[in-house]
Coordinates of all heavy atoms in Angstrom, one line a residue:
M239 N 54.3 -26.1 -28.3 CA 53.3 -25.0 -28.3 C 51.9 -25.4 -28.7 O 51.0 -24.8 -28.1 CB 53.8 -24.1 -29.4 CG 54.3 -22.7 -29.1 SD 54.2 -21.9 -27.6 CE 54.3 -20.4 -28.1
P240 N 51.7 -26.4 -29.5 CA 50.4 -26.8 -29.8 C 49.5 -27.2 -28.6 O 48.3 -26.9 -28.4 CB 50.5 -27.9 -30.8 CG 51.9 -28.0 -31.2 CD 52.6 -27.3 -30.3
G241 N 50.2 -27.9 -27.6 CA 49.5 -28.2 -26.4 C 49.1 -27.0 -25.6 O 48.0 -27.0 -24.9
L242 N 49.9 -26.0 -25.5 CA 49.6 -24.8 -24.8 C 48.4 -24.0 -25.5 O 47.5 -23.6 -24.7 CB 50.9 -23.9 -24.8 CG 50.7 -22.6 -24.0 CD1 50.4 -22.8 -22.6 CD2 52.0 -21.7 -24.2
L243 N 48.4 -24.0 -26.8 CA 47.3 -23.3 -27.5 C 46.0 -24.0 -27.2 O 44.9 -23.4 -27.1 CB 47.6 -23.2 -29.0 CG 48.6 -22.1 -29.4 CD1 48.8 -22.2 -30.9 CD2 48.1 -20.8 -29.0
R244 N 46.1 -25.3 -27.3 CA 44.9 -26.2 -27.1 C 44.3 -25.9 -25.6 O 43.1 -25.7 -25.4 CB 45.2 -27.6 -27.3 CG 43.9 -28.5 -27.1 CD 44.2 -29.9 -27.2 NE 44.6 -30.2 -28.6 CZ 45.0 -31.3 -29.1 NH1 45.2 -32.4 -28.3 NH2 45.4 -31.5 -30.3
G245 N 45.2 -25.8 -24.6 CA 44.8 -25.6 -23.2 C 44.2 -24.1 -23.1 O 43.2 -24.0 -22.4
V246 N 44.8 -23.1 -23.7 CA 44.2 -21.8 -23.7 C 42.9 -21.7 -24.4 O 41.9 -21.1 -23.9 CB 45.3 -20.8 -24.3 CG1 44.6 -19.4 -24.5 CG2 46.5 -20.7 -23.5
A247 N 42.8 -22.4 -25.6 CA 41.5 -22.5 -26.2 C 40.4 -23.1 -25.4 O 39.3 -22.7 -25.3 CB 41.7 -23.1 -27.6
R248 N 40.7 -24.2 -24.9 CA 39.8 -24.9 -24.0 C 39.3 -24.1 -22.8 O 38.1 -24.0 -22.5 CB 40.3 -26.2 -23.5 CG 39.4 -27.0 -22.7 CD 40.0 -28.3 -22.2 NE 40.2 -29.2 -23.3 CZ 41.0 -30.3 -23.2 NH1 41.6 -30.6 -22.1 NH2 41.1 -31.1 -24.3
T249 N 40.2 -23.3 -22.2 CA 39.8 -22.5 -21.1 C 39.0 -21.3 -21.5 O 38.1 -21.0 -20.8 CB 41.2 -21.9 -20.5 OG1 42.0 -23.0 -20.0 CG2 40.8 -21.0 -19.3
A250 N 39.3 -20.8 -22.7 CA 38.4 -19.8 -23.3 C 37.0 -20.2 -23.5 O 36.0 -19.5 -23.3 CB 39.1 -19.2 -24.5
V251 N 36.9 -21.4 -24.1 CA 35.5 -21.9 -24.4 C 34.8 -22.2 -23.1 O 33.6 -21.9 -23.0 CB 35.7 -23.3 -25.2 CG1 34.4 -23.9 -25.3 CG2 36.3 -23.0 -26.6
I252 N 35.4 -22.8 -22.1 CA 34.8 -23.1 -20.9 C 34.4 -21.8 -20.2 O 33.3 -21.7 -19.6 CB 35.7 -23.9 -20.0 CG1 35.9 -25.4 -20.6 CG2 35.1 -24.0 -18.6 CD1 36.9 -26.2 -19.9
S253 N 35.3 -20.8 -20.2 CA 35.0 -19.6 -19.6 C 33.8 -18.9 -20.2 O 32.9 -18.3 -19.6 CB 36.2 -18.6 -19.5 OG 35.9 -17.4 -19.0
G254 N 33.8 -18.9 -21.6 CA 32.7 -18.2 -22.3 C 31.4 -18.9 -22.0 O 30.4 -18.2 -21.9
T255 N 31.4 -20.2 -22.0 CA 30.2 -21.0 -21.8 C 29.7 -20.7 -20.4 O 28.5 -20.5 -20.1 CB 30.5 -22.5 -21.9 OG1 30.9 -22.7 -23.2 CG2 29.1 -23.3 -21.7
A256 N 30.6 -20.7 -19.4 CA 30.2 -20.4 -18.0 C 29.6 -19.0 -17.9 O 28.6 -18.8 -17.2 CB 31.4 -20.5 -17.0
T257 N 30.2 -18.0 -18.6 CA 29.7 -16.7 -18.5 C 28.3 -16.5 -19.2 O 27.4 -15.9 -18.6 CB 30.7 -15.7 -19.3 OG1 32.0 -15.8 -18.7 CG2 30.2 -14.2 -19.3
A258 N 28.1 -17.2 -20.3 CA 26.8 -17.1 -21.0 C 25.7 -17.8 -20.1 O 24.6 -17.3 -20.0 CB 26.9 -17.9 -22.3
V259 N 26.1 -18.9 -19.5 CA 25.0 -19.6 -18.6 C 24.8 -18.7 -17.4 O 23.6 -18.6 -17.0 CB 25.6 -20.9 -18.2 CG1 24.8 -21.5 -17.0 CG2 25.6 -21.9 -19.4
S260 N 25.8 -18.1 -16.8 CA 25.6 -17.3 -15.7 C 24.7 -16.0 -16.0 O 23.9 -15.7 -15.3 CB 26.9 -16.8 -15.2 OG 26.8 -15.8 -14.1
N261 N 25.0 -15.5 -17.1 CA 24.2 -14.3 -17.6 C 22.7 -14.7 -17.8 O 21.8 -13.9 -17.4 CB 24.7 -13.7 -18.9 CG 26.0 -13.0 -18.6 OD1 26.3 -12.6 -17.5 ND2 26.8 -12.7 -19.7
R262 N 22.5 -15.9 -18.4 CA 21.1 -16.3 -18.6 C 20.4 -16.5 -17.3 O 19.3 -16.2 -17.2 CB 21.1 -17.6 -19.5 CG 19.8 -18.2 -19.7 CD 19.8 -19.2 -20.8 NE 18.4 -19.6 -21.1 CZ 17.9 -20.8 -21.0 NH1 18.8 -21.8 -20.7 NH2 16.7 -21.1 -21.2
V263 N 21.1 -17.1 -16.4 CA 20.5 -17.4 -15.1 C 20.2 -16.1 -14.4 O 19.1 -15.9 -13.9 CB 21.4 -18.3 -14.2 CG1 20.9 -18.3 -12.7 CG2 21.5 -19.7 -14.7
S264 N 21.1 -15.1 -14.5 CA 20.8 -13.8 -13.9 C 19.5 -13.1 -14.5 O 18.8 -12.5 -13.8 CB 22.1 -12.9 -14.0 OG 23.1 -13.5 -13.3
R265 N 19.5 -13.2 -15.9 CA 18.3 -12.6 -16.5 C 17.0 -13.2 -16.1 O 16.0 -12.5 -15.9 CB 18.5 -12.6 -18.0 CG 19.5 -11.6 -18.6 CD 19.4 -11.5 -20.1 NE 19.6 -12.8 -20.8 CZ 20.8 -13.3 -21.2 NH1 21.8 -12.6 -20.9 NH2 20.9 -14.5 -21.7
R266 N 17.0 -14.6 -16.0 CA 15.8 -15.3 -15.6 C 15.4 -14.9 -14.2 O 14.2 -14.7 -14.0 CB 16.0 -16.8 -15.8 CG 16.1 -17.2 -17.2 CD 16.3 -18.7 -17.4 NE 15.2 -19.5 -16.7 CZ 15.3 -20.8 -16.5 NH1 16.4 -21.5 -16.7 NH2 14.2 -21.4 -15.9
Q267 N 16.3 -14.9 -13.3 CA 16.1 -14.5 -11.9 C 15.6 -13.1 -11.8 O 14.6 -12.8 -11.1 CB 17.3 -14.7 -11.0 CG 17.1 -14.5 -9.5 CD 16.1 -15.6 -9.1 OE1 16.2 -16.8 -9.4 NE2 15.2 -15.2 -8.2
A268 N 16.2 -12.1 -12.6 CA 15.7 -10.7 -12.6 C 14.3 -10.7 -13.1 O 13.5 -9.9 -12.6 CB 16.6 -9.9 -13.4
G269 N 14.0 -11.4 -14.1 CA 12.6 -11.5 -14.6 C 11.7 -12.0 -13.6 O 10.5 -11.5 -13.5
R270 N 12.0 -13.0 -12.9 CA 11.2 -13.5 -11.8 C 11.0 -12.5 -10.7 O 9.9 -12.3 -10.2 CB 11.8 -14.8 -11.2 CG 11.7 -16.0 -12.1 CD 12.3 -17.2 -11.3 NE 12.3 -18.3 -12.3 CZ 13.2 -19.2 -12.3 NH1 14.1 -19.3 -11.3 NH2 13.2 -20.2 -13.2
W271 N 12.0 -11.8 -10.3 CA 11.8 -10.9 -9.3 C 11.0 -9.7 -9.8 O 10.1 -9.1 -9.0 CB 13.2 -10.2 -8.9 CG 14.0 -11.2 -8.0 CD1 13.5 -12.4 -7.4 CD2 15.4 -11.2 -7.8 NE1 14.5 -13.0 -6.7 CE2 15.7 -12.3 -7.0 CE3 16.4 -10.4 -8.3 CZ2 17.0 -12.6 -6.6 CZ3 17.7 -10.7 -7.8 CH2 18.0 -11.8 -7.0
A272 N 11.1 -9.3 -11.0 CA 10.2 -8.2 -11.5 C 8.9 -8.6 -11.6 O 7.9 -7.8 -11.2 CB 10.8 -7.8 -13.0
Q273 N 8.6 -9.9 -11.9 CA 7.2 -10.4 -11.9 C 6.6 -10.3 -10.5 O 5.4 -10.0 -10.4 CB 7.1 -11.8 -12.5 CG 5.8 -12.3 -12.6 CD 4.8 -11.7 -13.6 OE1 5.3 -11.0 -14.5 NE2 3.6 -11.8 -13.3
Q274 N 7.4 -10.8 -9.5 CA 6.9 -10.8 -8.2 C 6.6 -9.4 -7.7 O 5.6 -9.2 -7.0 CB 7.9 -11.4 -7.3 CG 8.0 -13.0 -7.4 CD 9.1 -13.6 -6.5 OE1 9.9 -12.9 -6.0 NE2 9.1 -15.0 -6.5
D275 N 7.5 -8.5 -8.0 CA 7.2 -7.0 -7.6 C 6.0 -6.5 -8.2 O 5.2 -5.8 -7.6 CB 8.5 -6.2 -8.0 CG 9.7 -6.4 -7.2 OD1 9.6 -7.0 -6.2 OD2 10.8 -6.0 -7.7
Y276 N 5.7 -6.8 -9.5 CA 4.6 -6.4 -10.2 C 3.3 -7.0 -9.6 O 2.3 -6.3 -9.3 CB 4.7 -6.8 -11.7 CG 3.4 -6.6 -12.5 CD1 3.0 -5.2 -12.9 CD2 2.5 -7.6 -12.8 CE1 1.9 -4.9 -13.5 CE2 1.3 -7.3 -13.5 CZ 1.0 -5.9 -13.8 OH -0.2 -5.6 -14.5
E277 N 3.4 -8.2 -9.3 CA 2.2 -8.9 -8.6 C 1.9 -8.3 -7.2 O 0.7 -8.1 -6.9 CB 2.4 -10.4 -8.5 CG 2.3 -11.1 -9.8 CD 2.8 -12.6 -9.8 OE1 3.2 -13.0 -8.7 OE2 2.7 -13.2 -10.9
Q278 N 2.9 -7.9 -6.5 CA 2.8 -7.4 -5.2 C 2.2 -6.0 -5.3 O 1.3 -5.6 -4.5 CB 4.1 -7.3 -4.4 CG 4.6 -8.7 -3.9 CD 5.9 -8.6 -3.3 OE1 6.6 -7.6 -3.3 NE2 6.4 -9.7 -2.6
Q279 N 2.6 -5.2 -6.2 CA 2.1 -3.9 -6.5 C 0.6 -4.0 -6.9 O -0.1 -3.2 -6.4 CB 2.9 -3.1 -7.5 CG 4.4 -2.7 -7.0 CD 5.1 -2.1 -8.2 OE1 4.7 -2.0 -9.3 NE2 6.2 -1.5 -7.8
L280 N 0.3 -4.9 -7.7 CA -1.0 -5.0 -8.2 C -1.9 -5.5 -7.0 O -3.1 -4.9 -6.9 CB -1.1 -6.1 -9.3 CG -2.4 -6.3 -10.0 CD1 -2.8 -5.0 -10.7 CD2 -2.3 -7.4 -11.1
A281 N -1.5 -6.3 -6.2 CA -2.3 -6.8 -5.0 C -2.5 -5.7 -4.1 O -3.6 -5.5 -3.4 CB -1.5 -8.0 -4.4
Q282 N -1.5 -4.8 -3.9 CA -1.6 -3.6 -3.0 C -2.6 -2.6 -3.5 O -3.3 -2.0 -2.8 CB -0.2 -2.9 -2.8 CG 0.7 -3.8 -1.9 CD 2.1 -3.1 -1.8 OE1 2.4 -2.2 -2.4 NE2 2.9 -3.8 -0.9
Q283 N -2.6 -2.4 -4.8 CA -3.5 -1.5 -5.4 C -5.0 -2.0 -5.3 O -5.9 -1.3 -5.1 CB -3.2 -1.3 -6.9 CG -1.9 -0.5 -7.1 CD -1.6 -0.4 -8.6 OE1 -2.2 -1.0 -9.4 NE2 -0.5 0.4 -8.8
Q284 N -5.2 -3.3 -5.4 CA -6.5 -3.9 -5.3 C -7.0 -4.0 -3.9 O -8.2 -4.1 -3.7 CB -6.6 -5.3 -6.1 CG -6.3 -5.1 -7.6 CD -6.3 -6.4 -8.2 OE1 -6.2 -7.5 -7.6 NE2 -6.4 -6.4 -9.6
A285 N -6.1 -4.2 -2.9 CA -6.5 -4.4 -1.5 C -7.2 -3.1 -1.1 O -6.7 -2.0 -1.2 CB -5.4 -4.8 -0.7
P286 N -8.2 -3.2 -0.3 CA -8.9 -2.1 0.3 C -8.0 -1.4 1.4 O -7.2 -2.2 2.1 CB -10.3 -2.6 0.9 CG -9.9 -4.0 1.2 CD -9.0 -4.4 0.1
P287 N -8.0 -0.2 1.6 CA -7.2 0.4 2.6 C -7.6 -0.1 4.0 O -8.8 -0.4 4.2 CB -7.4 1.9 2.5 CG -8.7 2.0 1.8 CD -8.8 0.8 1.0
P288 N -6.7 -0.1 4.9 CA -7.0 -0.7 6.3 C -8.0 0.2 6.9 O -8.1 1.5 6.8 CB -5.7 -0.7 7.0 CG -4.8 0.3 6.3 CD -5.3 0.2 4.8
A289 N -9.0 -0.4 7.6 CA -10.1 0.4 8.2 C -9.5 1.2 9.3 O -8.6 0.7 10.1 CB -11.1 -0.5 8.8
A290 N -9.9 2.4 9.5 CA -9.5 3.3 10.6 C -10.0 2.8 11.9 O -11.1 2.2 12.0 CB -9.9 4.7 10.4
A291 N -9.1 2.9 12.9 CA -9.6 2.3 14.2 C -10.7 3.3 14.8 O -10.8 4.5 14.6 CB -8.4 2.5 15.2
A292 N -11.7 2.7 15.4 CA -12.8 3.4 16.0 C -12.3 4.3 17.1 O -11.6 3.9 17.9 CB -13.9 2.4 16.5
P293 N -12.7 5.6 17.0 CA -12.2 6.5 18.1 C -12.8 6.1 19.3 O -14.0 5.6 19.5 CB -12.7 7.8 17.5 CG -13.9 7.6 16.6 CD -13.6 6.2 16.0
Q294 N -12.1 6.2 20.4 CA -12.6 6.0 21.7 C -13.5 7.1 22.1 O -13.3 8.3 22.0 CB -11.4 5.9 22.7 CG -10.4 4.8 22.4 CD -11.1 3.5 22.6 OE1 -11.9 3.3 23.5 NE2 -10.7 2.5 21.8
P295 N -14.7 6.7 22.7 CA -15.7 7.7 23.1 C -15.1 8.6 24.2 O -14.5 8.0 25.2 CB -16.9 6.9 23.6 CG -16.4 5.5 23.8 CD -15.1 5.3 23.0
D296 N -15.3 9.8 24.1 CA -14.9 10.6 25.2 C -16.1 11.0 26.2 O -17.1 10.5 25.9 CB -14.3 12.0 24.7 CG -15.2 12.8 23.8 OD1 -16.3 12.3 23.6 OD2 -14.8 13.8 23.3
A297 N -15.9 11.6 27.2 CA -17.0 11.9 28.2 C -18.1 12.6 27.6 O -19.2 12.4 27.9 CB -16.3 12.6 29.4
D298 N -17.9 13.7 26.8 CA -19.0 14.4 26.2 C -19.8 13.5 25.3 O -21.1 13.6 25.4 CB -18.4 15.6 25.5 CG -17.7 16.7 26.3 OD1 -18.1 16.7 27.5 OD2 -16.9 17.4 25.8
D299 N -19.2 12.7 24.6 CA -19.9 11.8 23.6 C -20.8 10.8 24.4 O -21.9 10.6 24.1 CB -18.9 11.0 22.7 CG -19.6 10.2 21.7 OD1 -20.6 10.7 21.1 OD2 -19.1 9.1 21.4
M300 N -20.2 10.3 25.5 CA -21.0 9.3 26.3 C -22.2 10.1 27.0 O -23.3 9.5 27.1 CB -20.1 8.7 27.4 CG -19.1 7.7 26.8 SD -19.8 6.4 25.9 CE -20.7 5.5 27.2
T301 N -21.9 11.3 27.4 CA -23.1 12.0 28.1 C -24.2 12.2 27.0 O -25.3 12.1 27.5 CB -22.5 13.4 28.7 OG1 -21.5 13.1 29.5 CG2 -23.6 14.1 29.3
G302 N -23.8 12.6 25.9 CA -24.8 12.8 24.8 C -25.6 11.5 24.5 O -26.8 11.6 24.3
K303 N -24.9 10.4 24.5 CA -25.6 9.2 24.2 C -26.6 8.8 25.4 O -27.6 8.3 25.2 CB -24.6 8.1 24.1 CG -23.9 8.1 22.7 CD -22.9 6.9 22.5 CE -22.3 7.0 21.1 NZ -21.5 5.8 20.9
I304 N -26.1 9.1 26.6 CA -27.0 8.8 27.8 C -28.2 9.6 27.7 O -29.3 9.2 28.0 CB -26.2 9.0 29.1 CG1 -25.1 7.9 29.2 CG2 -27.1 8.9 30.3 CD1 -24.1 8.1 30.3
D305 N -28.1 10.9 27.4 CA -29.1 11.8 27.3 C -30.1 11.3 26.2 O -31.4 11.3 26.4 CB -28.7 13.2 26.9 CG -28.0 13.9 28.1 OD1 -28.2 13.5 29.3 OD2 -27.2 14.9 27.9
Q306 N -29.7 10.9 25.0 CA -30.5 10.4 24.0 C -31.3 9.1 24.4 O -32.5 9.0 24.1 CB -29.7 10.1 22.7 CG -29.2 11.3 22.0 CD -28.3 11.0 20.8 OE1 -27.8 9.8 20.7 NE2 -28.2 12.0 19.8
L307 N -30.6 8.3 25.1 CA -31.3 7.0 25.6 C -32.3 7.4 26.6 O -33.3 6.7 26.6 CB -30.2 6.1 26.2 CG -29.3 5.4 25.3 CD1 -28.2 4.6 26.0 CD2 -30.0 4.5 24.3
K308 N -32.1 8.4 27.4 CA -33.1 8.8 28.5 C -34.3 9.4 27.8 O -35.5 9.0 28.1 CB -32.6 9.8 29.4 CG -31.6 9.3 30.4 CD -31.1 10.4 31.3 CE -30.1 9.8 32.4 NZ -29.5 10.9 33.2
Q309 N -34.1 10.1 26.7 CA -35.2 10.7 25.9 C -36.0 9.5 25.2 O -37.2 9.6 25.2 CB -34.7 11.6 24.9 CG -34.2 13.0 25.4 CD -33.6 13.8 24.4 OE1 -33.3 13.4 23.2 NE2 -33.2 15.0 24.7
L310 N -35.2 8.6 24.7 CA -36.0 7.5 24.0 C -36.7 6.7 25.0 O -37.9 6.2 24.8 CB -34.9 6.6 23.4 CG -34.2 7.0 22.1 CD1 -33.1 6.1 21.6 CD2 -35.3 7.2 21.0
A311 N -36.2 6.5 26.3 CA -37.0 5.7 27.3 C -38.2 6.5 27.7 O -39.2 6.0 27.9 CB -36.0 5.5 28.5
D312 N -38.1 7.9 27.8 CA -39.3 8.7 28.1 C -40.3 8.5 27.0 O -41.6 8.4 27.3 CB -38.9 10.2 28.3 CG -38.1 10.4 29.6 OD1 -38.2 9.6 30.4 OD2 -37.4 11.5 29.6
L313 N -39.9 8.6 25.8 CA -40.9 8.4 24.7 C -41.5 7.1 24.7 O -42.8 6.9 24.4 CB -40.1 8.7 23.3 CG -39.8 10.1 23.0 CD1 -38.9 10.2 21.7 CD2 -41.0 11.1 22.9
K314 N -40.8 6.1 25.0 CA -41.4 4.7 25.1 C -42.3 4.7 26.3 O -43.5 4.1 26.1 CB -40.2 3.7 25.4 CG -40.7 2.3 25.4 CD -39.7 1.3 25.8 CE -40.2 0.0 26.2 NZ -39.3 -0.9 26.9
A315 N -42.0 5.3 27.4 CA -42.9 5.3 28.6 C -44.2 6.0 28.3 O -45.3 5.6 28.8 CB -42.2 5.8 29.8
Q316 N -44.1 7.0 27.5 CA -45.3 7.8 27.1 C -46.2 7.1 26.1 O -47.3 7.5 25.8 CB -44.9 9.2 26.6 CG -44.3 10.1 27.6 CD -43.7 11.3 27.1 OE1 -43.9 11.6 25.8 NE2 -43.0 12.1 27.8
G317 N -45.6 6.0 25.5 CA -46.4 5.3 24.4 C -46.1 5.8 23.0 O -46.8 5.3 22.1
V318 N -45.2 6.8 22.9 CA -44.9 7.3 21.6 C -44.2 6.3 20.7 O -44.4 6.2 19.5 CB -44.2 8.7 21.7 CG1 -43.8 9.2 20.4 CG2 -45.0 9.7 22.4
L319 N -43.3 5.6 21.3 CA -42.4 4.6 20.7 C -42.9 3.2 21.1 O -43.2 2.9 22.2 CB -40.9 4.7 20.9 CG -40.2 6.0 20.4 CD1 -38.8 6.0 20.9 CD2 -40.2 6.1 18.9
S320 N -42.9 2.3 20.1 CA -43.2 0.9 20.5 C -41.9 0.2 20.8 O -40.8 0.8 20.7 CB -43.8 0.1 19.2 OG -42.7 0.1 18.2
E321 N -41.9 -1.0 21.4 CA -40.7 -1.7 21.8 C -39.8 -1.9 20.7 O -38.6 -1.7 20.9 CB -41.2 -3.1 22.4 CG -40.0 -3.9 23.0 CD -39.4 -3.3 24.2 OE1 -40.1 -2.6 25.0 OE2 -38.1 -3.4 24.3
E322 N -40.3 -2.2 19.4 CA -39.4 -2.4 18.3 C -38.7 -1.1 18.0 O -37.5 -1.1 17.6 CB -40.2 -3.0 17.2 CG -40.6 -4.4 17.4 CD -41.9 -4.4 18.1 OE1 -42.7 -3.4 18.2 OE2 -42.2 -5.5 18.8
E323 N -39.5 0.0 17.9 CA -38.9 1.3 17.5 C -37.8 1.7 18.5 O -36.8 2.2 18.2 CB -40.0 2.3 17.4 CG -41.0 2.1 16.3 CD -42.2 3.1 16.4 OE1 -42.6 3.4 17.4 OE2 -42.7 3.3 15.3
F324 N -38.2 1.4 19.8 CA -37.1 1.8 20.9 C -35.9 1.1 20.7 O -34.9 1.6 20.8 CB -37.8 1.6 22.3 CG -36.9 1.7 23.4 CD1 -36.5 3.1 23.8 CD2 -36.3 0.6 24.0 CE1 -35.6 3.2 24.8 CE2 -35.4 0.8 25.1 CZ -35.0 2.1 25.4
E325 N -36.0 -0.2 20.5 CA -34.8 -1.0 20.3 C -33.9 -0.6 19.0 O -32.8 -0.5 19.1 CB -35.1 -2.6 20.2 CG -35.6 -3.1 21.5 CD -34.6 -3.1 22.6 OE1 -33.4 -3.3 22.4 OE2 -35.0 -2.9 23.8
A326 N -34.7 -0.3 17.9 CA -34.0 0.1 16.8 C -33.2 1.5 17.0 O -32.1 1.6 16.6 CB -35.0 0.3 15.6
Q327 N -33.9 2.4 17.7 CA -33.3 3.7 17.9 C -32.1 3.6 18.9 O -31.1 4.2 18.8 CB -34.3 4.7 18.5 CG -35.4 5.1 17.5 CD -34.7 5.8 16.3 OE1 -33.8 6.6 16.4 NE2 -35.2 5.5 15.1
K328 N -32.3 2.7 19.9 CA -31.2 2.4 20.9 C -30.0 1.9 20.2 O -28.9 2.3 20.5 CB -31.7 1.5 22.0 CG -30.7 1.2 23.1 CD -31.3 0.4 24.2 CE -31.4 -1.0 23.8 NZ -31.7 -1.9 25.0
R329 N -30.2 0.9 19.2 CA -29.0 0.4 18.5 C -28.4 1.5 17.6 O -27.2 1.5 17.5 CB -29.5 -0.7 17.6 CG -29.8 -2.1 18.3 CD -29.8 -3.2 17.3 NE -31.0 -3.1 16.5 CZ -32.2 -3.5 16.8 NH1 -32.5 -4.0 17.9 NH2 -33.2 -3.4 15.9
R330 N -29.1 2.4 17.0 CA -28.6 3.5 16.3 C -27.8 4.4 17.1 O -26.7 4.7 16.7 CB -29.7 4.2 15.6 CG -29.2 5.4 14.8 CD -30.3 6.3 14.2 NE -31.1 6.9 15.3 CZ -30.7 8.0 15.9 NH1 -29.6 8.7 15.6 NH2 -31.5 8.6 16.8
V331 N -28.3 4.7 18.4 CA -27.5 5.6 19.2 C -26.2 5.0 19.7 O -25.2 5.6 19.8 CB -28.5 6.0 20.4 CG1 -27.6 6.7 21.5 CG2 -29.6 6.9 20.0
L332 N -26.3 3.7 20.0 CA -25.1 3.0 20.6 C -24.1 2.6 19.5 O -23.0 2.3 19.8 CB -25.6 1.8 21.4 CG -26.4 2.1 22.6 CD1 -26.8 0.8 23.3 CD2 -25.6 3.0 23.6
A333 N -24.5 2.6 18.2 CA -23.6 2.2 17.2 C -22.5 3.3 16.9 O -22.5 4.4 17.3 CB -24.4 2.0 15.9

């Protein structure tokens, strides 16, 4: 019987040690995952929202821009606008 008790005791010690080590590894891994999740959430909060796609110009919008450019060209031809002023206004209209 003493040999049997010794075998059972040894198995219990080994099993307990394995369980303790396994639990410690699990806790450490869970802590790492929690830290990674926290860092990802923090990065998402700090990142600027994605820029909205520029809307495609429709026909009415293009017609309005063309009319504005014609008016600017007329003002430049009349001498009301200088070349630099005309270019600046043209960039503003086309932007």
Side-chain angles (χ1 to χ4, degrees):
M239 251 345 208
L242 181 62
L243 285 177
R244 183 180 294 175
V246 171
R248 179 180 292 165
T249 302
V251 168
I252 292 172
S253 175
T255 303
T257 301
V259 169
S260 174
N261 288 341
R262 182 168 182 235
V263 169
S264 295
R265 282 192 306 271
R266 287 179 63 195
Q267 188 64 41
R270 286 182 187 152
W271 288 340
Q273 180 67 26
Q274 287 175 351
D275 289 344
Y276 174 74
E277 290 171 357
Q278 287 175 353
Q279 288 174 354
L280 188 60
Q282 288 175 353
Q283 289 174 356
Q284 291 176 349
Q294 296 295 325
D296 57 2
D298 293 336
D299 188 39
M300 289 302 294
T301 304
K303 287 183 178 184
I304 291 171
D305 290 341
Q306 288 179 341
L307 290 173
K308 285 180 182 177
Q309 290 173 353
L310 288 172
D312 290 340
L313 291 173
K314 180 184 168 203
Q316 294 171 7
V318 176
L319 291 177
S320 68
E321 183 67 31
E322 293 82 23
E323 292 171 330
F324 173 74
E325 290 298 323
Q327 291 299 319
K328 184 172 78 170
R329 281 192 299 273
R330 181 188 60 83
V331 169
L332 294 177

